[in-house]
Amino acid sequence: PFRVVPYDNVLEPEPEDAPPEEVLRAPSLPIAFNGRLSTPGDVDRFAFLAKNSDRLLRFESFANRLGSPADLELRIVTADGTVLARNDDLEGLDSGLTW
């Protein structure tokens, strides 16, 4: 199964688990980030630019609801690694947060 959205898409950068400086930045929001988890503990990173004028940003994962057994956690992290927000299991095993 897959999910159709009216947004542009950013696909997971290769190689998987690329260091943060090699992560592809989304051209603009809203956008759909798409990754593939290939091994247990696999981490996919996506970058975006948030502006002070962006009031609320909503992030939501769709894995379990599409039949995947993955248990995802979402994190908003600064370029230096500071965790600004995180969520695990908002809707079943899928995560979501408003930041």
Side-chain angles (χ1 to χ4, degrees):
F2 59 93
R3 186 167 181 265
V4 176
V5 296
Y7 316 120
D8 286 336
N9 286 270
V10 171
L11 301 177
E12 168 190 22
E14 296 295 338
E16 292 186 8
D17 296 333
E21 63 273 10
E22 296 179 17
V23 173
L24 177 66
R25 180 174 292 180
S28 63
L29 298 176
I31 198 147
F33 296 109
N34 293 282
R36 182 176 62 199
L37 302 173
S38 58
T39 59
D42 186 8
V43 174
D44 290 345
R45 294 178 178 94
F46 299 95
F48 63 94
L49 180 63
K51 301 173 190 163
N52 286 341
S53 61
D54 293 334
R55 289 296 199 178
L56 292 176
L57 299 175
R58 175 79 183 141
F59 298 89
E60 191 169 357
S61 66
F62 290 85
N64 192 252
R65 288 176 276 179
L66 296 176
S68 170
D71 184 1
L72 303 179
E73 178 182 72
L74 292 177
R75 293 182 189 178
I76 306 292
V77 182
T78 63
D80 70 2
T82 303
V83 176
L84 301 175
R86 64 174 290 280
N87 176 263
D88 187 21
D89 300 344
L90 179 71
E91 174 90 21
L93 296 177
D94 290 332
S95 301
L97 58 90
T98 300
W99 178 66

